[in-house]
Each structure stands twice: as structure tokens, then as C-alpha cells.
């Protein structure tokens, strides 16, 4: 006898062991989730495209725009997640798929980053390609970590200040 099939989350960072996160796959609940991810993705990709138009990289230049986009997007994820899911805070179940997966997933771009590393390598700029690859990785991880830590501290300070105001 085989084990019963478990529903799979649309979003891989959903933990189906957490009851609140199971609603993502309940019944027809996946269609609203897919709709908000799609809408958010369109907004995020449009914002990324707008930045690329506003700050174009010259042919043969260093891909600063993509680096900025990826680091900024990771910093925003670092702010978003503590705001909507930690410390007993609960956002509407479509907020994380819309903002996190949709908007910020559409905004950040691993594919463009990979193509730009490849282009640098093709231009015989291996050192610059490796610096860009490592710099993006370190910048993105550092941004998400710093932003999440700063957000958690700000939320803790706010909670503490609210507690002091309520306590005579």
C-alpha cells in the first residue's frame, strides 16, 4: 500500500507542517494564489525593466543595474518576511505570495545575472565575472540578513515602547 499523496505547495518556502500555511493548497485556494503571484510578478518585472531603462549599462560595461536590483530585492525580502510572519504578526494569506514571490520574485533576476556573468566570461573578463558573481551573492545574502535583522530590531523596539506606554 502506498502512502497517500500530500499536496505540494505552490511556493517552495511554504511549510505544509504549519497549519496557517496549508491554506495555500486547500481546495481551490491555489487559483487566488497563482493570480496574485502573476499580478505581483508583472509589477516586479515592470519595475526591474523600468530601472534597466533608467540606468542602462553600456555595451561592455559592468552590470551595475542588475547587481543593484538583486541586492535591493533581497533587502526588501529581508524587511517583508519579519513584518508579515514573525512575532505573532499575521498578514492576509495572499500578502506573502503577492509581495514576496510575485513582486520581489519578478523584480530580482537570477537569469539576467547568469547571462551577465556568461557575457563577462565570453569577453575574457574572468576576474570581473567572478567578482560580479561573488559580489552579487555576498551582496544579496548580506542585504537580506542586514535588512531582516534591522527590521526585527525595529519591531522589537516598537513592541517594547508600546508595552511601556501601556504599563503604568
Amino acid at each position: 500500500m502506498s502512502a497517500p499523496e500530500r499536496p505540494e505547495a505552490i511556493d517552495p518556502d511554504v511549510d505544509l507542517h504549519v497549519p496557517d500555511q496549508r491554506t495555500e493548497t486547500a481546495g481551490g485556494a491555489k487559483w487566488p494564489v497563482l493570480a496574485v503571484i502573476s499580478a505581483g510578478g508583472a509589477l516586479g518585472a515592470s519595475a526591474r525593466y523600468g530601472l534597466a531603462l533608467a540606468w542602462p549599462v553600456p555595451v561592455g560595461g559592468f552590470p551595475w543595474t542588475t547587481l543593484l536590483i538583486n541586492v535591493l530585492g533581497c533587502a526588501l525580502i529581508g524587511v517583508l518576511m519579519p513584518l508579515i510572519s514573525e512575532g505573532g504578526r499575521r498578514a492576509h494569506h495572499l500578502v506573502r505570495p503577492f509581495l514576496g514571490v510575485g513582486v520581489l520574485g519578478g523584480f530580482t533576476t537570477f537569469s539576467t545575472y547568469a547571462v551577465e556573468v556568461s557575457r563577462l566570461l565570453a569577453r575574457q573578463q574572468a576576474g570581473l565575472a567572478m567578482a560580479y558573481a561573488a559580489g552579487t551573492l555576498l551582496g544579496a545574502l548580506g542585504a537580506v540578513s542586514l535588512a531582516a535583522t534591522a527590521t526585527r530590531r525595529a519591531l522589537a523596539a516598537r513592541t517594547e515602547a508600546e508595552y511601556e506606554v501601556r504599563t503604568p
Side-chain angles (χ1 to χ4, degrees), residues 5-163:
E5 283 190 39
R6 299 185 113 192
E8 289 191 30
I10 295 167
D11 181 1
D13 67 329
V14 169
D15 183 352
L16 294 177
H17 295 98
V18 177
D20 287 346
Q21 293 184 13
R22 283 190 213 136
T23 60
E24 188 170 311
T25 58
K30 69 180 176 181
W31 297 114
V33 172
L34 289 173
V36 300
I37 289 172
S38 297
L43 291 172
S46 296
R48 173 174 23 106
Y49 182 69
L51 269 176
L53 289 177
W55 193 10
V57 174
V59 174
F62 187 81
W64 287 108
T65 306
T66 304
L67 177 66
L68 169 75
I69 286 167
N70 286 332
V71 171
L72 177 60
C74 287
L76 292 172
I77 279 281
V79 171
L80 175 68
M81 296 313 289
L83 283 176
I84 66 170
S85 64
E86 294 179 9
R89 281 176 294 288
R90 290 179 150 184
H92 187 277
H93 74 282
L94 295 177
V95 169
R96 188 186 53 77
F98 174 70
L99 292 174
V101 180
V103 174
L104 295 175
F107 182 68
T108 57
T109 173
F110 182 77
S111 57
T112 302
Y113 158 71
V115 167
E116 289 169 343
V117 168
S118 181
R119 284 184 184 154
L120 290 168
L121 289 170
R123 290 195 316 248
Q124 307 294 312
Q125 295 176 302
L128 194 57
M130 294 304 111
Y132 174 55
T136 297
L137 178 64
L138 294 172
L141 290 173
V144 74
S145 179
L146 289 172
T149 299
T151 301
R152 287 180 185 115
R153 286 184 180 161
L155 290 170
R158 180 177 153 201
T159 301
E160 187 175 308
E162 288 174 358
Y163 176 76

